[in-house]
Amino acid sequence: MKLKKNLFTGIFLLITGHFAFGQFTVNGEFRSRGELRHGYSKLPVDDSEAAFFVSQRSRISFGFTNYLFKTKLTLQNINVWGDDNIYTGTGAFGSTNGVDVYESWLELKTSPTSVIRIGRQELAYDDQRILSTRDWTQSGLTYDALVFKKQGNSWGLDIGLSLNNKLENTFGNDFYTDKNRIKTLNFAHFDKKVNEKFKVSLIALGTGYQKEGTTSTIYMTGTYGTNLNYNFGSVTLYPRIYYQNGKNKKGEEISAYYTGVDLSASPGDNFMITAGVDYFSGHDASNSDTDYMSKDHTFDLMYGARYKFYGNMNQFVFSGEPIDNGGLSDIYLKFKYSTGTRGTFLLDYHYFRLTSNYADPTYTSGFRALNKSLGSEFDIIYSHELFKGASIKTGFSFFLPSESLEILKGVGAGNSSGSYWGWIMVTIKPGFFNSKGV
């Protein structure tokens, strides 16, 4: 009896000892954003009415870390003011949409320099053009995955695996909801700091989409790329290139690519200017070669950030719109000015063009390609840190579409009017509890 008592006591002390020498944290995030939309994502026409609304993100995160493992649980509620469906005539009380699990993962230390992270987690690499958290959206983006992470002195390697199902199936593996949901996501990312001036990263993804009406046919898309970063003091050069092959969501063969380059310079401590170009391949409608026509030449951006790169008004989201087949080039010039320790002013200009010949749908006497010019966008953002963990941001954008874009967006040449978008956002991230501070 005494032996059992000592055994249970020893196990209890062992378990509680792990937690006693760990760190427990509770953090929050409250983000409210008011928006005035008249041309965000879609072109307006003369009778389009501007939309105004306020959306909110509310998050609470629980974290624990010790010398063996780390865990994180983040709960969130996303709502638009007034969307509650539990209410009375005098007030709103809630919504049946409830609270979602944004993050829920366990990270186990497998060696002094490696870990395995299992569960729902953010995946963000390089500048987030291919794998992104899409933090601008109130919901954000996480993935159910297993990721192995190895960190060397000047290099890092991540290998990730993900397999999705709708149910705890007894038989079969049906996951088809729509063609855009991934059945499996697998990737490897390697980064290396060669020296103080040069960094390089490599990434490869294998993404699978289930064929509709089957449970065993998976269309696999391969995406491979590299990012280079050259730093010459006040000047930075950032070239990148990606290639895609395999099969797309429709089961068609793919041969597509993306390339881009940024050149940034800081002529002063508070000022930075960046010039660059992004180029996405598209399908050339004038090419009648049999081998060319049998393949999809449109690069799929997949899970990469949109708002961050291709104009804040999200006219180009790479989500199956007709414009996607024509490819996209984005020539941009960006200015960043820091007003001091708390304020930052951004001014961006984008000029958009098709990269391939796109058949003009308004021309019925044979083939005629649309003019490749799509239009210009101006984005202005000011951000200010109120105090540690609290900030306010505001922005205004306007878009000048070409007739080609008006045709592709379905409003008709010359029929769009006044594309603009304004917003203001307040974010507070309080630290509720930290056991190290107790």
Side-chain angles (χ1 to χ4, degrees):
M1 190 70 179
K2 185 176 181 180
L3 178 61
K4 287 184 178 181
K5 183 178 179 180
N6 290 339
L7 179 61
F8 287 136
T9 302
I11 294 174
F12 175 77
L13 291 175
L14 179 63
I15 294 173
T16 55
H18 287 316
F19 288 91
F21 292 100
Q23 182 179 13
F24 179 65
T25 59
V26 182
N27 297 304
E29 180 182 1
F30 302 93
R31 190 170 88 171
S32 298
R33 184 168 68 224
E35 299 183 43
L36 176 66
R37 292 184 176 183
H38 190 264
Y40 178 88
S41 172
K42 296 183 178 181
L43 296 181
V45 292
D46 287 338
D47 60 351
S48 296
E49 182 181 356
F52 178 74
F53 61 90
V54 179
S55 61
Q56 184 158 322
R57 170 199 287 180
S58 304
R59 286 180 178 171
I60 185 166
S61 297
F62 304 91
F64 180 80
T65 303
N66 69 9
Y67 61 93
L68 288 178
F69 65 89
K70 180 190 296 186
T71 64
K72 189 175 184 180
L73 173 64
T74 302
L75 307 177
Q76 74 173 9
N77 175 258
I78 307 300
N79 70 290
V80 174
W81 287 9
D83 71 350
D84 303 86
N85 56 15
I86 304 174
Y87 61 90
T88 70
T90 56
F93 300 98
S95 172
T96 54
N97 292 330
V99 175
D100 298 316
V101 176
Y102 178 70
E103 292 177 282
S104 177
W105 51 260
L106 167 66
E107 185 177 278
L108 300 172
K109 195 169 185 178
T110 56
S111 79
T113 59
S114 63
V115 297
I116 292 179
R117 182 177 292 185
I118 307 168
R120 181 161 298 179
Q121 57 192 282
E122 295 181 332
L123 298 177
Y125 293 95
D126 303 313
D127 59 1
Q128 301 193 35
R129 288 179 188 269
I130 296 297
L131 277 175
S132 171
T133 61
R134 294 192 189 175
D135 191 59
W136 171 256
T137 63
Q138 294 286 39
S139 60
L141 185 63
T142 52
Y143 307 78
D144 296 320
L146 181 153
V147 181
F148 170 78
K149 299 171 178 282
K150 176 73 173 180
Q151 188 63 52
N153 291 329
S154 60
W155 59 271
L157 173 65
D158 285 17
I159 299 174
L161 305 171
S162 178
L163 179 65
N164 298 316
N165 286 285
K166 291 188 293 187
L167 302 168
E168 297 181 357
N169 299 318
T170 303
F171 299 103
N173 296 284
D174 183 30
F175 184 65
Y176 190 88
T177 302
D178 64 61
K179 66 180 183 296
N180 294 312
R181 293 201 66 186
I182 56 171
K183 171 67 176 178
T184 180
L185 169 64
N186 314 285
F187 68 90
H189 179 271
F190 175 80
D191 62 87
K192 168 72 175 177
K193 182 178 180 180
V194 179
N195 53 47
E196 293 300 319
K197 295 184 177 180
F198 179 48
K199 299 177 184 178
V200 61
S201 70
L202 302 169
I203 190 169
L205 293 88
T207 309
Y209 299 88
Q210 181 180 324
K211 180 181 178 181
E212 185 177 7
T214 72
T215 59
S216 57
T217 301
I218 306 297
Y219 296 138
M220 293 297 299
T221 300
T223 305
Y224 324 93
T226 183
N227 293 261
L228 308 176
N229 191 302
Y230 301 88
N231 190 303
F232 307 99
S234 62
V235 178
T236 301
L237 182 66
Y238 183 57
R240 53 207 174 262
I241 187 169
Y242 294 87
Y243 176 71
Q244 280 181 343
N245 65 0
K247 292 188 176 183
N248 64 15
K249 302 166 188 177
K250 300 177 182 178
E252 302 166 335
E253 295 289 333
I254 307 172
S255 180
Y257 65 93
Y258 157 80
T259 186
V261 61
D262 289 350
L263 180 63
S264 299
S266 299
D269 292 338
N270 297 332
F271 184 67
M272 176 182 289
I273 182 171
T274 300
V277 61
D278 288 315
Y279 188 99
F280 294 86
S281 67
H283 194 84
D284 187 350
S286 67
N287 192 331
S288 58
D289 179 77
T290 302
D291 183 61
Y292 181 88
M293 294 293 289
S294 67
K295 294 181 180 180
D296 179 11
H297 298 275
T298 303
F299 188 89
D300 188 344
L301 193 58
M302 295 187 179
Y303 329 102
R306 273 74 162 164
Y307 168 88
K308 181 180 178 181
F309 298 114
Y310 315 111
N312 291 353
M313 292 186 70
N314 273 359
Q315 292 292 343
F316 310 100
V317 295
F318 306 88
S319 61
E321 291 188 350
I323 191 175
D324 298 348
N325 288 329
L328 180 71
S329 67
D330 175 15
I331 302 169
Y332 50 87
L333 189 62
K334 300 183 177 184
F335 301 90
K336 179 180 180 180
Y337 177 72
S338 298
T339 60
T341 58
R342 294 182 180 273
T344 303
F345 177 82
L346 304 174
L347 173 62
D348 298 349
Y349 168 74
H350 298 263
Y351 174 61
F352 301 101
R353 288 179 59 86
L354 294 169
T355 58
S356 299
N357 291 314
Y358 192 99
D360 186 345
T362 66
Y363 188 71
T364 58
S365 300
F367 175 83
R368 181 177 71 181
L370 279 173
N371 186 305
K372 290 185 178 180
S373 176
L374 296 174
S376 298
E377 180 175 335
F378 294 85
D379 302 316
I380 304 169
I381 296 177
Y382 177 73
S383 60
H384 189 85
E385 183 184 20
L386 301 172
F387 48 87
K388 185 177 180 181
S391 65
I392 184 169
K393 291 184 178 181
T394 185
F396 184 81
S397 302
F398 61 94
F399 196 94
L400 303 173
S402 70
E403 289 190 353
S404 294
L405 185 63
E406 291 173 326
I407 292 171
L408 289 168
K409 289 285 186 176
V411 301
N415 291 332
S416 67
S417 63
S419 294
Y420 58 86
W421 172 53
W423 55 273
I424 185 168
M425 181 168 71
V426 178
T427 305
I428 298 178
K429 298 181 178 181
F432 293 123
F433 179 77
N434 188 330
S435 63
K436 288 294 186 181
V438 176

